[in-house]
């Protein structure tokens, strides 16, 4: 749940007995999952929630018992909203997104936000299944691919990137970034719907092998040691082997998962492929993967601007397909223009409202 909720920013899980002194109550939103059937648990909850209540933090209660008595207790404890504990995660994420939406700046459309939430929730299901060693849920893959492709149809790549950057989980953020970029790329090139689905599916699954990488390496807040790099670099092979073992995945998807870190000059990994041995779909995903890594927001490094990141792609020269890099640059330019248009319209509207 903590990782899923990090879709909307840094998320901390606390028990009622833990101190909240290090958390800014005025900038928090609480999701409360507590048993409210006993006096002692209610008293504990009242003391734990008091600082947030005084600060006016919104508070969603998840109840396993939706009786009027438990709902009254939740309201008395400061519930802003009450939902059943078994509510679909997409509904919960939508609710949180609406409660956190900044009122003073333009945001993505409601439709784009819903698609983003659906893609993130599906990705959560995929990563959880991969970590447990279970088969990947096909329905979750389909849901994620559909959500990402329909978001690309809307043409607001910049809005998609804005939402992805809020995600506090690095692996989720990266997968959603690459998926959105690949879907926009496939749309720009004019791929048929079936080919777009394959491309986006490959992008959604390209880093699935990271679910088997130790968390202390995956979430290390700094540069990896050579030994840690060696372990991290196993994720394409791990992901490929997972998909092969499960069966049912198209060869194009398997190739992309295995080879998205290969470069045209043979300097990539895991097999040092070069030139014609790297098909176009893999070349596209590699470009999007490199660009996403450059613009991602991390605690240990500032993100590059789109222009800086694109310059790095161009400077990589023979490692990448420069014809495809040029097309990618057109997509990024369109996204930048869309950003300027959206914010310009917002400023004009605010000026009109002020004059009125």
């Amino acid at each position: 749940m903590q990782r899923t909720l990090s879709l909307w920013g840094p998320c901390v899980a606390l028990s009622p007995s833990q101190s909240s002194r290090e958390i800014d109550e005025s900038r928090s939103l609480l999701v409360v999952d507590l048993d409210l059937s006993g006096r002692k648990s209610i008293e504990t909850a009242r003391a734990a929630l008091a600082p947030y209540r005084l600060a006016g933090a919104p508070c969603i209660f998840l109840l396993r018992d939706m009786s009027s008595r438990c709902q009254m207790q939740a309201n008395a404890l400061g519930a802003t909203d009450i939902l059943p504990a078994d509510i679909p995660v997409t509904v919960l994420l939508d609710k949180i997104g609406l409660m956190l939406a900044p009122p003073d700046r333009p945001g993505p459309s409601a439709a784009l936000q819903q698609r983003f939430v659906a893609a993130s929730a599906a990705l959560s299901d995929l990563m959880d299944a991969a970590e447990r060693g279970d088969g990947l849920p096909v329905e979750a893959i389909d849901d994620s691919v559909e959500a990402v492709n329909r978001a690309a149809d809307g043409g607001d790549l910049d809005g998609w990137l804005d939402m992805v950057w809020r995600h506090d989980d690095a692996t989720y953020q990266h997968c959603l970034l690459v998926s959105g970029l690949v879907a926009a790329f496939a749309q720009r090139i004019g791929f048929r719907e079936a080919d777009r689905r394959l491309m986006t599916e490959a992008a959604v699954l390209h880093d699935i092998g990271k679910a088997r990488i130790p968390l202390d390496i995956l979430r290390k807040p700094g540069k990896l040691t050579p030994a840690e790099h060696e372990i991290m670099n196993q994720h394409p092979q791990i992901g490929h082997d997972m998909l092969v073992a499960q069966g049912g995945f198209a060869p194009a998807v398997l190739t992309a998962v295995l080879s998205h870190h290969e470069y045209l000059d043979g300097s990539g990994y895991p097999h040092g492929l070069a030139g014609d041995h790297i098909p176009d779909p893999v070349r596209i995903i590699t470009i999007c993967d490199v660009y996403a890594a450059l613009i991602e927001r991390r605690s240990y490094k500032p993100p590059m601007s789109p222009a800086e990141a694109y310059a790095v792609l161009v400077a990589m020269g023979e490692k990448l397909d420069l014809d495809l890099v040029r097309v990618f640059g057109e997509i990024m330019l369109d996204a930048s223009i869309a950003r300027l248009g959206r914010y310009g319209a917002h400023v004009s509207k605010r000026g009109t409202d002020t004059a009125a």
Side-chain angles (χ1 to χ4, degrees), residues 149-150 153 182-200 252 279-285 324 327:
N149 279 342
R150 297 296 74 82
D153 288 342
V182 168
F185 210 131
Q187 184 198 46
R188 170 59 68 96
I189 292 178
F191 280 12
R192 297 177 304 168
E193 180 64 21
D195 294 331
R196 288 180 65 194
R197 290 189 63 82
L198 279 179
M199 284 290 298
T200 306
D280 286 347
V282 176
R283 299 181 187 199
I284 291 172
I285 291 175
L324 292 174
V327 175

Side-chain angles (χ1 to χ4, degrees), residues 163 236 281:
M163 287 187 292

Side-chain angles (χ1 to χ4, degrees), residues 22-340:
E22 297 181 359
I23 299 175
D24 183 352
E25 291 88 355
S26 65
R27 299 184 60 190
S28 300
L29 180 148
L30 269 66
V31 178
V32 180
D33 183 4
L34 294 173
D35 177 11
L36 300 181
S37 61
R39 180 184 297 274
K40 184 175 181 180
S41 62
I42 292 172
E43 291 175 352
T44 302
R46 182 178 293 112
L49 295 173
Y52 302 96
R53 187 176 181 179
L54 288 172
C59 185
I60 299 175
F61 272 73
L62 303 180
L63 299 183
R64 289 174 175 77
D65 178 359
M66 289 293 288
S67 66
S68 58
R69 178 178 179 276
C70 285
Q71 290 192 50
M72 287 175 61
Q73 292 289 359
N75 284 323
L77 290 170
T80 308
D81 209 335
I82 299 172
L83 301 170
D86 59 355
I87 190 173
V89 67
T90 52
V91 178
L92 176 59
L93 290 173
D94 269 333
K95 176 72 69 173
I96 293 174
L98 291 172
M99 296 174 77
L100 291 176
D104 59 345
R105 73 183 188 196
S109 68
L112 182 61
Q113 179 165 299
Q114 288 175 350
R115 286 165 183 148
F116 174 66
V117 167
S120 184
L123 181 61
S124 175
D125 290 343
L126 291 175
M127 296 298 289
D128 288 346
E131 285 181 3
R132 296 192 303 266
D134 297 340
L136 301 181
V138 174
E139 183 178 355
I141 296 173
D142 291 342
D143 288 347
S144 185
V145 169
E146 178 68 13
V148 174
N149 279 342
R150 297 296 74 82
D153 288 342
D156 191 1
L157 176 61
D158 199 66
W160 178 272
L161 297 180
D162 280 344
M163 287 187 292
V164 171
W165 279 322
R166 298 178 195 172
H167 212 305
D168 198 46
D169 186 283
T171 301
Y172 281 32
Q173 182 186 112
H174 181 73
C175 287
L176 290 165
L177 272 177
V178 174
S179 299
L181 293 170
V182 168
F185 210 131
Q187 184 198 46
R188 170 59 68 96
I189 292 178
F191 280 12
R192 297 177 304 168
E193 180 64 21
D195 294 331
R196 288 180 65 194
R197 290 189 63 82
L198 279 179
M199 284 290 298
T200 306
E201 180 178 335
V204 167
L205 296 172
H206 82 285
D207 269 350
I208 194 67
K210 287 184 178 178
R212 304 282 178 85
I213 300 297
L215 288 179
D216 59 342
I217 294 178
L218 199 61
R219 298 179 180 175
K220 184 177 180 179
K223 292 185 177 180
L224 300 180
T225 66
E228 291 169 337
H229 265 298
E230 186 175 348
I231 294 172
M232 180 67 85
N233 290 353
Q234 296 173 14
H235 77 268
Q237 189 70 57
I238 293 172
H240 175 266
D241 293 347
M242 286 169 54
L243 300 186
V244 169
Q246 179 167 335
F249 293 96
V253 173
L254 297 176
T255 299
V257 171
L258 179 62
S259 303
H260 64 275
H261 283 292
E262 302 283 8
Y263 292 135
L264 296 181
D265 64 354
S267 64
Y269 67 90
H271 298 303
L273 301 181
D276 292 341
H277 294 286
I278 303 176
D280 286 347
V282 176
R283 299 181 187 199
I284 291 172
I285 291 175
T286 299
I287 290 170
C288 295
D289 185 55
V290 173
Y291 183 84
L294 295 173
I295 65 171
E296 284 165 14
R297 298 172 180 179
R298 295 285 180 268
S299 60
Y300 55 87
K301 73 172 184 69
M304 287 188 180
S305 69
E308 291 171 327
Y310 183 70
V312 171
L313 293 181
V314 173
M316 291 177 70
E318 295 181 355
K319 291 179 179 293
L320 304 175
D321 187 318
L322 289 180
D323 288 334
L324 292 174
V325 169
R326 280 191 286 272
V327 175
F328 186 76
E330 295 172 4
I331 297 170
M332 293 302 100
L333 178 61
D334 287 350
S336 297
I337 292 172
R339 173 187 288 270
L340 291 174

